[in-house]
Structure formats: C-alpha cells, structure tokens
Amino acid sequence: RQDSEAAPSPFHVQLEDGASLEADFIVGADGKWSSVRQSVDSIQNGTIVDCPAWGVHMTCPFVPEGWEETDGTFIIKDEAFYILGSPLPEDTGFSFSMVCSEEKTAARYPWLLPCDRSEDYSDSWLGSSEEAAAAADGEGALAGRLSRLLEETMPAFHAAVRGEETTRSARINRRASWLKMMEGDSYADVSGRVALIGDSAHAMTASIGEGCNCALESAAELVARVEALMRERGEGFGKCSHQTLRDGFSDYGRSRPKEVQPVQLRSAIVNGWKETS
Ligand SMILES: Cc1cc2nc3c(=O)[nH]c(=O)nc-3n(C[C@H](O)[C@H](O)[C@H](O)COP(=O)(O)OP(=O)(O)OC[C@H]3O[C@@H](n4cnc5c(N)ncnc54)[C@H](O)[C@@H]3O)c2cc1C
C-alpha cells in the first residue's frame, strides 16, 4: 500500500469458525445468500424473487442398461414437465432433475408443488426438500406417486430407471429464484471498499446456464477496472493505492449491473417470471 491519505477505519469480519479479522477492502463472493451483501449497510441488498418453476431431484443409483456410453446432459420431454439427466462420476449412476412449472405441471399434478414456507431459506439453494416433499405429498408417499406418474407418461424411462429404485430419492426443491436489484443500483458500497461479484451480486435462475459465466466475468471485470486505473495513474505491479482500489470498485459497481441485469431478466423469464409475479 502506498496511501498518503488517512486510512479509513477497517471492517471487522467475523468468520464462521469463530475467528475474526480486520480488512480495508472486501470482495463479497459468497453466493446468493451473501452475508457480505446483507451485513454492509451502504450496499444494495436487492430482493430474492421466486419464479413459478422448480425442480424435483432424483438419483438413479446405477447406470441403466444401454446408457453406458452416455456422457453428457440430455433432456427427456413430456407435455407437463421435462427431465434433465446427467451421468454421475465414475459410472455410479445418473442424476435427474424433473423441471416443473406452475402452469403446466402443477395444473395436472398439484401434489408436485413445493410447500410454501415463509421463513428464510438461506441455508442452502435446495432448502429442506425432504420436508417439502413430505408436506406436498401429505402421506410422504412421493416415491410411489412419482413412479406411477413416470410409468404412465414415460414408460421407457420408467423401466430404464426401475421406477421406485430411483424415485425413492426424489426431493421437491423450492421454486427457482433470483436476486433482483433496481436499475441504478451498484455492486459496490458508497465508500468503494466493498464489491460484490458472482451470485452475491447477481444470482440468477439456472434456466439458461449463465450464472457461473457471469460470475467469472464479474471477477475479471472488477480486476480490469482496478488495473485500468493503476495504468492510468502509473501505479506498478503490487503498488495499487487505496484510492485506486476504491475508484476501481466504484467503477465496477456502477457499470457491471447494466451488463448482467438483462441476462438475469432473460433467465427469469425463461422460468416463467413476469413483472407482476
Ligand atoms: C441447479 C443449478 C444449475 C446451474 N447450472 C449452471 C450452468 O449450467 N451454467 C452456469 O454458468 N451456471 C449455472 N448455475 C449457476 C452457478 O452455479 C452459479 O451462478 C455460480 O456457482 C455462482 O458462483 P459464486 O462463486 O458467485 O457463488 P457460489 O458458487 O454459491 O459460491 C459461494 C461460496 O461462498 C461460500 N460461502 C457462503 N457464505 C459463506 C460464509 N459466511 N463464510 C464462508 N464461505 C461462505 C459458499 O460455501 C460457496 O462455496 C447453476 C446453478 C444451479 C443451482
């Protein structure tokens, strides 16, 4: 550091293992439920918005006969839902996500709806899905019901995954959601000492597979903004001043939302989100 200006008071960071540290700058890369975003008063917190779509996850504990050579994600479609399948590492089986929507799936199979819970689910993206499954199913008989549904709608798939041998692992996830910020919001705080990257700034639904790409781009963009200012100000490698970091964080915070928000919106719309929902 080569600052001549008086150093601002540091942030006190409390870590999950009980340790604490002081930091002059913080980059929040802690995901959709970011503690950094929620702890810094002068940074926009946004709103987590639900979409009318969700997944039912199942694991097939073996490789179905004839599927030995399948090495990529594939899609099996029904009128009311579709299933994404991916092989698990080391030929241990297959992972399936049944992608459901209120409009098509719930209209026919209301027992597949995730249970609505008002509390904060920030513990994990999937939430307590076993609980949701049991609640949605009343009797907790999701495995049997789902197996019968697949037998009726996708008999070949049902036979390949041997019905309940796969559906017994089914979990109804909560609705897909994303982090909505307002136009003009920044991914940096007012002092330019905290910046958010990745899902902590712009969590999006998984529908178009852009979340990780945008997260990596945001990290690169933050660095690029700081580097550009260092070059402009003749600050060599390892000699970045506090002022330059602050200005770089602020530049990034102001400019990056304009690039990512349209992607978030597109992704949410694919998941059935509407401005009024
Ligand atoms: C089902 C699904 C499918 C997806 N498919 C795609 C796809 O095909 N393509 C794509 O580009 N993206 C996809 N995404 C999105 C992608 O996974 C995310 O956008 C990406 O992982 C975001 O990266 P991140 O580093 O910002 O956040 P995360 O990957 O969420 O990482 C945040 C990290 O911070 C840690 N953390 C959180 N809080 C704390 C704390 N208090 N202390 C310490 N550590 C903490 C977490 O443990 C985690 O390791 C998908 C997401 C889902 C859910």
Side-chain angles (χ1 to χ4, degrees):
R1 300 173 195 149
Q2 47 166 207
D3 270 15
S4 51
E5 75 266 19
S9 56
F11 292 105
H12 298 279
V13 183
Q14 188 73 41
L15 303 179
E16 280 186 345
D17 66 2
S20 61
L21 53 84
E22 292 193 338
D24 294 325
F25 291 86
I26 297 178
V27 176
D30 51 346
K32 185 177 188 172
W33 305 99
S34 170
S35 300
V36 174
R37 188 183 72 236
Q38 295 181 59
S39 316
V40 178
D41 288 340
S42 65
I43 205 160
Q44 274 86 13
N45 200 12
T47 312
I48 301 282
V49 184
D50 276 349
C51 292
W54 67 97
V56 178
H57 187 262
M58 301 169 257
T59 303
C60 177
F62 54 87
V63 177
E65 227 179 296
W67 293 18
E68 293 80 5
E69 302 302 319
T70 310
D71 60 358
T73 296
F74 57 90
I75 300 179
I76 309 165
K77 286 191 173 172
D78 176 74
E79 281 164 25
F81 58 85
Y82 63 90
I83 292 182
L84 288 170
S86 315
L88 294 171
E90 294 165 7
D91 298 332
T92 49
F94 272 74
S95 161
F96 296 109
S97 277
M98 179 176 177
V99 182
C100 305
S101 68
E102 270 170 27
E103 194 190 353
K104 292 186 177 161
T105 325
R108 268 203 216 175
Y109 313 109
W111 48 274
L112 274 174
L113 269 169
C115 69
D116 284 310
R117 300 187 306 166
S118 56
E119 76 254 40
D120 177 329
Y121 315 168
S122 53
D123 51 342
S124 98
W125 186 84
L126 296 176
S128 176
S129 37
E130 289 88 342
E131 208 181 304
D137 202 39
E139 302 300 311
L142 179 68
R145 237 167 164 177
L146 194 52
S147 177
R148 287 192 291 281
L149 184 160
L150 293 174
E151 191 173 16
E152 193 183 294
T153 53
M154 300 180 166
F157 174 78
H158 176 267
V161 302
R162 297 185 209 147
E164 282 196 42
E165 282 191 47
T166 292
T167 60
R168 76 164 65 107
S169 63
R171 302 176 312 171
I172 300 175
N173 296 333
R174 61 172 179 259
R175 287 174 176 76
S177 62
W178 60 292
L179 175 63
K180 187 168 189 278
M181 295 229 188
M182 304 307 288
E183 213 181 306
D185 279 356
S186 171
Y187 295 161
D189 78 323
V190 287
S191 71
R193 294 199 298 140
V194 183
L196 302 175
I197 59 173
D199 278 12
S200 72
H202 45 66
M204 60 188 76
T205 63
S207 61
I208 56 172
E210 286 292 343
C212 197
N213 296 315
C214 287
L216 292 170
E217 267 179 12
S218 287
E221 188 61 27
L222 177 62
V223 172
R225 294 282 162 168
V226 174
E227 261 184 347
L229 288 174
M230 284 172 71
R231 264 197 307 278
E232 207 176 292
R233 296 172 184 180
E235 295 173 359
F237 183 73
K239 300 259 176 17
C240 181
S241 67
H242 274 197
Q243 189 58 52
T244 294
L245 265 182
R246 277 205 290 273
D247 294 344
F249 276 28
S250 297
D251 273 4
Y252 158 83
R254 272 191 304 271
S255 62
R256 184 66 180 147
K258 293 185 201 90
E259 295 165 348
V260 188
Q261 283 174 348
V263 184
Q264 285 183 289
L265 198 58
R266 194 148 39 89
S267 187
I269 288 169
V270 170
N271 272 132
W273 183 81
K274 296 189 180 88
E275 192 65 59
T276 50
S277 62

